[in-house]
């Protein structure tokens, strides 16, 4: 058969796969996540009309406690149809609600602001398209499962300890995007849903960020703002880490069993040795992940640098795969197509914060949430901090961004209400970590869902029981922290 005919057959197979995916999505009773996010975006627009506009004074990115002032706002219906930038002669000190046109313009603005993460997700999708086309992923999974005899009751706890430790001690999160497609494929190979493999990674990462024993991303911002030495209090946070990790592993064991996995089932796995090309491809992937973890922590790589690294790794994997240049390029593009929709969702999610910021209501929400904290003694104040962070994280899903906005306010409130500074930081960590496990406005969570090809609605139903359990545990641990003077 000629090369042209082979390419035509491959394109026809890809087209059939895409059509089948579209039909499956159409048959699904779940609401498309873009509909959910657009609804949240419209709600954000409405809030700019309902909620007073206001602003804190800032020193750099940090707010000055007690400096909040309400800003006069025109709530007339004419604002609903206003075109941004058309009122150049208006009072610069006044505020205006966000119009319909402004809300639509927030979407491309959100795409622009999230472009680094979006491009990174697309490139990772393309890279795994190459690995999948070469057969290295399937062969590697088959070999791995044959070694462990397909025992998820051994694999899941071991992997969750490793993944969660990377997050809690080093702050790894986006680095695990490389691992998620492999875990999702592993779950499918054992006859379970892709969501199981996704959850093994995601729950581990969230356990790590909830406790952040030495996670530099939140601690280097949050702790100095309340007068603490960076990384201090690691002992109690490590105890919290063990509690959340044990509960998280137990939850996943239950979900694995409910998914139909049983040690009594006989699953045949290939025991053949990997081919040299497959061995080299998988070795390059493992070494690539190791270099990525070291370099991103050593030189603090951000999205642009990470994307460039993934492009280079993709070229290496394409060369090792034995695929021709055109076939490797086609595989890369096809892999990108699978995560295209979710990449758009990341931009729409960012548009929510754009609308709230343009309407000058974000600081008002922060001020209102912090005003409810402080009364009723230190235990209730700590719980109030936790709840305020849960709600605030929906609007500011960035861990470092939320720390910069909320900690200068919560620190003095904690002092006045008798909440120790370490407990104030702990309330921030718990609230931020828990909301990011569930909220559709979290770009990182949407990136995880994209690479695993799992819808947000389906994920929310799966993870909500654990979210409730973790919330209860967080409130208990905060009470203990106050009582022991942590």
């Amino acid at each position: 058969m000629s090369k042209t005919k082979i390419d035509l057959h491959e394109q026809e197979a890809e087209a059939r796969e895409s059509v089948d995916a579209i039909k499956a999505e159409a048959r699904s009773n779940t609401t498309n996540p873009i509909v959910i996010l657009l609804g949240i975006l419209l709600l954000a627009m409405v809030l700019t009309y309902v909620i007073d506009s206001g602003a804190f004074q800032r020193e750099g990115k940090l707010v000055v406690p007690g400096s909040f002032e309400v800003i006069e706002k025109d709530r007339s219906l004419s604002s609903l149809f206003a075109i941004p930038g058309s009122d150049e002669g208006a009072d610069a000190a006044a505020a205006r609600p966000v119009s319909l046109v402004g809300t639509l313009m927030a979407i491309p603005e959100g795409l622009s602001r999230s472009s680094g993460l979006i491009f990174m997700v697309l490139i990772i999708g393309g890279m795994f398209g190459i690995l999948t086309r070469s057969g290295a992923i399937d062969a590697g999974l088959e070999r791995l499962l044959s070694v462990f005899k397909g025992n998820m009751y051994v694999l899941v706890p071991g992997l969750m300890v490793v993944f969660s430790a990377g997050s809690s001690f080093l702050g790894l999160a986006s680095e695990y995007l490389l691992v998620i497609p492999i875990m999702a494929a592993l779950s499918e190979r054992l006859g379970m849903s892709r969501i199981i493999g996704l959850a093994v990674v995601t729950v581990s990462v969230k356990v790590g960020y909830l406790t952040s024993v030495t996670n530099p991303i939140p601690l280097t911002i949050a702790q100095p703002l309340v007068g603490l030495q960076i990384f201090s209090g690691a002992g109690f946070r490590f105890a919290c880490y063990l509690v959340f990790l044990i509960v998280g592993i137990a939850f996943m064991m239950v979900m694995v069993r409910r998914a139909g996995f049983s040690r009594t089932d006989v699953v045949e796995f290939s025991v053949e040795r990997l081919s040299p090309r497959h061995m080299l491809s998988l070795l390059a992937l493992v070494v690539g992940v190791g270099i990525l973890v070291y370099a991103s922590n050593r030189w603090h790589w951000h999205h642009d640098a990470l994307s460039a690294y993934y492009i280079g790794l993709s070229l290496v994997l394409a060369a090792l795969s034995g695929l021709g240049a055109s076939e490797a390029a086609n595989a890369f593009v096809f892999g990108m197509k699978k995560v295209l929709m979710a990449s758009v969702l990341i931009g729409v999610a960012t548009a929510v914060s754009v609308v709230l910021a343009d309407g000058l209501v974000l600081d008002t929400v922060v001020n209102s949430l912090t005003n409810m904290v402080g009364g009723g003694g230190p235990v209730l104040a700590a719980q109030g901090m936790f709840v305020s962070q849960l709600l605030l994280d929906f609007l500011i899903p960035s861990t470092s961004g939320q720390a910069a906005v909320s900690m200068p306010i919560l620190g003095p409130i904690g002092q006045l209400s008798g909440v120790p500074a370490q407990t104030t930081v702990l309330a921030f960590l718990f609230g931020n970590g828990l909301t990011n496990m569930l909220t559709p406005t979290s770009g990182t969570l949407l990136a995880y869902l994209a690479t695993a090809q799992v819808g947000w609605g389906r994920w929310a139903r799966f993870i909500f029981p654990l979210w409730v359990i973790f919330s209860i545990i967080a409130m208990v641990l905060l009470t203990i922290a106050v009582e022991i003077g942590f």
Side-chain angles (χ1 to χ4, degrees):
M1 184 178 292
S2 68
K3 178 66 175 176
T4 303
K5 290 183 178 179
I6 292 174
D7 290 342
L8 287 174
H9 285 313
E10 289 175 351
Q11 291 174 8
E12 289 173 0
E14 291 179 359
R16 284 195 299 270
E17 186 175 342
S18 299
V19 170
D20 290 342
I22 293 171
K23 289 180 178 178
E25 186 70 25
R27 289 193 298 266
S28 175
N29 291 324
T30 59
T31 304
N32 190 296
I34 199 167
V35 175
I36 296 172
L37 280 175
L38 287 175
I40 294 173
L41 185 61
L42 288 175
L43 176 61
M45 183 195 75
V46 172
L47 290 178
T48 64
Y49 287 83
V50 176
I51 299 176
D52 289 335
S53 292
F56 288 101
Q57 296 178 16
R58 281 174 164 78
E59 295 178 354
K61 292 184 178 180
L62 305 180
V63 302
V64 178
S67 64
F68 178 80
E69 292 183 358
V70 175
I71 301 175
E72 182 183 352
K73 178 160 61 178
D74 176 14
R75 287 188 171 91
S76 63
L77 286 178
S78 60
S79 300
L80 186 62
F81 305 101
I83 299 176
S86 62
D87 53 347
E88 295 180 358
D91 184 2
R96 292 190 65 173
V98 178
S99 66
L100 287 170
V101 175
T103 302
L104 293 175
M105 292 179 65
I107 296 177
E109 175 67 19
L111 289 166
S112 176
R113 292 189 184 184
S114 303
S115 59
L117 178 59
I118 291 171
F119 291 144
M120 187 172 70
V121 170
L122 288 171
I123 293 167
I124 290 173
M127 185 179 69
F128 274 93
I130 294 173
L131 278 170
T132 302
R133 180 72 63 83
S134 70
I137 293 293
D138 290 339
L141 288 177
E142 199 78 6
R143 186 62 179 166
L144 175 66
L145 292 172
S146 69
V147 171
F148 287 94
K149 302 186 185 302
N151 192 347
M152 287 290 281
Y153 296 135
V154 175
L155 276 172
V156 169
L159 291 172
M160 289 186 70
V161 169
V162 173
F163 294 153
S164 63
S167 295
S168 192
F169 292 94
L170 300 175
L172 304 183
S174 59
E175 291 81 0
Y176 290 138
L177 284 168
L178 282 172
V179 182
I180 290 175
I182 299 175
M183 293 301 302
L186 185 148
S187 297
E188 283 191 322
R189 178 63 185 86
L190 290 170
M192 297 182 293
S193 168
R194 298 177 67 86
I195 201 170
I196 296 295
L198 167 68
V200 169
V201 181
T202 306
V203 171
S204 301
V205 171
K206 298 313 175 185
V207 164
Y209 266 76
L210 269 169
T211 53
S212 292
V213 179
T214 58
N215 181 352
I217 295 174
L219 295 182
T220 53
I221 298 175
Q223 287 190 314
L225 290 178
V226 291
L228 295 172
Q229 178 65 37
I230 298 174
F231 303 135
S232 60
F236 186 80
R237 290 197 301 277
F238 181 73
C240 295
Y241 164 73
L242 294 178
V243 173
F244 282 113
L245 179 61
I246 291 170
V247 174
I249 290 174
F251 174 81
M252 287 308 306
M253 292 294 95
V254 172
M255 292 298 104
V256 166
R257 187 171 184 82
R258 286 186 180 179
F261 178 80
S262 174
R263 290 295 301 125
T264 60
D265 295 339
V266 178
V267 183
E268 296 294 334
F269 301 104
S270 172
V271 293
E272 297 180 3
R273 296 179 63 86
L274 294 172
S275 70
R277 284 196 180 278
H278 289 162
M279 178 72 78
L280 286 173
S281 294
L282 294 173
L283 181 61
L285 181 63
V286 172
V287 172
V289 171
I291 295 174
L292 173 66
V293 170
Y294 172 80
S296 62
N297 281 276
R298 176 69 175 80
W299 296 299
H300 307 290
W301 283 358
H302 295 292
H303 292 144
D304 289 348
L306 289 170
S307 295
Y309 180 81
Y310 293 138
I311 291 172
L313 186 56
S314 298
L315 292 174
V316 172
L317 293 172
L320 294 174
S321 67
L323 301 173
S326 294
E327 188 178 0
N330 289 335
F332 187 87
V333 172
F334 185 66
M336 293 176 72
K337 289 178 182 177
K338 288 190 172 183
V339 298
L340 180 59
M341 174 56 75
S343 299
V344 174
L345 292 177
I346 294 172
V348 178
T350 306
V352 174
S353 61
V354 172
V355 168
L356 293 173
D358 288 348
L360 297 179
V361 299
L362 194 55
D363 282 2
T364 306
V365 174
V366 173
N367 185 62
S368 299
L369 290 175
T370 53
N371 283 339
M372 73 180 188
V373 178
V379 172
L380 287 179
Q383 307 297 347
M385 289 180 181
F386 168 62
V387 173
S388 70
Q389 294 296 325
L390 279 176
L391 299 174
L392 183 59
D393 193 68
F394 185 82
L395 306 177
I396 313 174
S398 166
T399 298
S400 57
Q402 187 177 344
V405 170
S406 63
M407 293 309 296
I409 303 172
L410 291 182
I413 292 176
Q415 289 179 335
L416 294 174
S417 58
V419 178
Q422 293 285 10
T423 304
T424 300
V425 173
L426 197 65
F428 156 70
L429 292 173
F430 286 173
N432 174 263
L434 274 171
T435 308
N436 273 335
M437 181 186 290
L438 188 62
T439 175
T441 58
S442 169
T444 302
L445 176 61
L446 292 176
Y448 276 28
L449 297 176
T451 52
Q453 298 173 48
V454 172
W456 179 83
R458 185 180 172 199
W459 169 254
R461 290 192 299 273
F462 176 90
I463 204 65
F464 185 71
L466 181 62
W467 187 88
V468 173
I469 294 170
F470 273 3
S471 297
I472 295 172
I473 293 173
M475 297 178 78
V476 171
L477 291 174
L478 283 173
T479 301
I480 295 173
V482 171
E483 294 296 336
I484 66 174
F486 171 67

